[in-house]
Structure formats: structure tokens, C-alpha cells
Amino acid sequence: MRPQSLNFITGNKNKLAEVEAILGNAIPLQSRALDLVEIQGTVQEVSTDKCRRAAELINGPVLTEDTCLCFNAMKGLPGPYIKWFLKAIGPEGLHNLLDAYVDKSAQAVCTFAFSEGPGHEPIIFQGTTEGRIVAPRGPTTFGWDPIFEYDGKTYAEMDKEEKNRISHRYKALEKLRAWLQHED
Ligand SMILES: O=c1[nH]cnc2c1ncn2[C@@H]1O[C@H](COP(=O)(O)OP(=O)(O)O)[C@@H](O)[C@H]1O
Ligand SMILES: [Mg+2]
């Protein structure tokens, strides 16, 4: 049986707004504003552990999400540590990191994880959008949106509907949606 509603655990208002906009009325969505502890490791390990912790805290079914920004010139870093890099050096500083490299290509990776509750192995849904790191352009409303360029525009320069049609988060949610609709 697939879940009939989702409890999205996140402390990030911007993420929640995008998830609400993208899922629309596909499934009833609740949310709890909790900032979850994150371990070090691969994207898979970080996301799975984050979801297990949330299931234990809530003591029930949960949906969690973790976002990575991976610079190809830096072999995928900052990756899952992007939150701490962004906090310390901001979008401008992230852009400057790539001064030393010719390759400015990057991947935005969104990983949702769903667990039925404590002791249940999380199921992973991942989406990736390929882009390029540029000097900041557009409103500074959401994280590294001003420096991630896709098809000539930064995420920050796109209106919300436009971002939500091509984003890493949209692609991951499409996989979640397909799974939710599949009865078995
Ligand atoms: O779509 C996005 N555009 C720009 N910044 C984002 C996007 N998604 C996540 N971020 C930022 O990248 C970092 C991702 O880290 P993480 O997914 O662990 O955040 P969280 O703890 O706020 O849920 C955070 O600083 C978040 O604000
Ligand atoms: Mg993270």
C-alpha cells in the first residue's frame, strides 16, 4: 500500500513552498518544521540517515529531502555539504571557489526519502539538473539560486513556475509521484 498523505519534515520554508507548488493536489501534504541532523558521507548515506532520524523523531511515516550542489571541477564537492559552504561564504563566495578552474559545470541534486516509520528502510527518489555556476544574478530569496544557471537563466531569474518545471526538485518529485500512483 502506498501512503495516502505525506508528512514532509523540513526546516526550510523555500523547499516547502516548492514542494507544495509542484505536488499541487496530487497528495495531501502536511509538514513539520524540524531542522534535522546530517551525517557526513555519500548523498545516499546522508539522505537515508536523515530520513531514519526523522521517522524516529516523529515516530511515524515521514518524507525528508536533502539538496546537493556538486561542482564537477571539484569532483562533486561541496555536494551534501553545500548548506555549510553557503552559510559561510554565500553565493558570491561559492562562485569565487571556481575561479581556479575552467570547468564551471555543476549539478543540482535533490534527494527525497520516504520512510513508513522507525525501523522501515527509507526509499529514495532523486532528481538532477545540470547547470553552470555564474556570478550572482537575480533575487537572493533562496540559497544558491542566483549562481546556478540553466539554459541562459539563473534559477533566481526564473519565475517560480519556470524553475518548478525544470528543477532538480521537480524531477525528484516526478519520481515520487509515479511511485505514489503505482498500486501494489
Ligand atoms: O533549489 C534550491 N535553490 C537554491 N538553494 C537551495 C535549493 N535547495 C536547497 N538549497 C539550499 O542548499 C542547502 C541544501 O542543504 P539541505 O538540503 O541540507 O538544507 P536544509 O537543511 O535547509 O533542508 C541549503 O542551504 C538550502 O537552503
Ligand atoms: Mg544537506
Side-chain angles (χ1 to χ4, degrees):
M1 264 297 275
R2 298 294 191 250
Q4 300 301 303
S5 68
L6 294 170
N7 193 9
F8 182 35
I9 312 303
T10 183
N12 189 316
K13 287 198 185 79
N14 288 305
K15 277 188 185 178
L16 177 61
E18 288 189 6
V19 171
E20 283 172 338
I22 294 167
L23 284 179
N25 51 18
I27 184 164
L29 185 76
Q30 298 128 39
S31 105
R32 279 281 297 276
L34 282 183
D35 216 359
L36 297 161
V37 169
E38 284 181 24
I39 59 163
Q40 293 182 34
T42 63
V43 177
Q44 199 85 5
E45 286 162 350
V46 174
S47 297
T48 305
D49 178 82
K50 195 173 178 179
C51 189
R52 281 201 200 106
R53 275 170 206 275
E56 271 158 31
L57 272 171
I58 298 293
N59 199 23
V62 288
L63 180 72
T64 56
E65 191 260 43
D66 194 58
T67 300
C68 297
L69 186 63
C70 307
F71 296 168
N72 291 327
M74 293 175 64
K75 312 277 186 224
L77 287 172
Y81 313 115
I82 184 59
K83 183 172 177 171
W84 315 108
F85 275 73
L86 186 65
K87 213 172 183 171
I89 61 177
E92 183 74 61
L94 282 166
H95 170 247
N96 292 343
L97 278 185
L98 286 180
D99 270 357
Y101 304 92
V102 176
D103 183 2
K104 311 291 183 192
S105 65
Q107 300 176 317
V109 182
C110 176
T111 310
F112 282 91
F114 173 79
S115 165
E116 282 177 47
H120 290 268
E121 192 55 17
I123 304 170
I124 297 289
F125 307 91
Q126 196 167 68
T128 300
T129 296
E130 308 270 349
R132 220 165 62 90
I133 301 301
V134 297
R137 300 197 313 261
T140 54
T141 322
F142 188 8
W144 40 262
D145 270 0
I147 58 162
F148 187 81
E149 187 190 70
Y150 172 82
D151 205 14
K153 272 188 199 171
T154 66
Y155 269 176
E157 289 175 312
M158 299 179 187
D159 57 36
K160 271 289 168 198
E161 293 82 64
E162 201 176 351
K163 178 183 174 191
N164 289 344
R165 277 197 300 270
I166 53 91
S167 77
H168 52 308
R169 188 158 291 110
Y170 165 76
K171 291 175 185 166
L173 285 173
E174 277 300 288
K175 292 186 184 166
L176 173 66
R177 205 197 317 247
W179 179 76
L180 286 170
Q181 285 165 357
H182 188 270
E183 297 285 328
D184 57 14

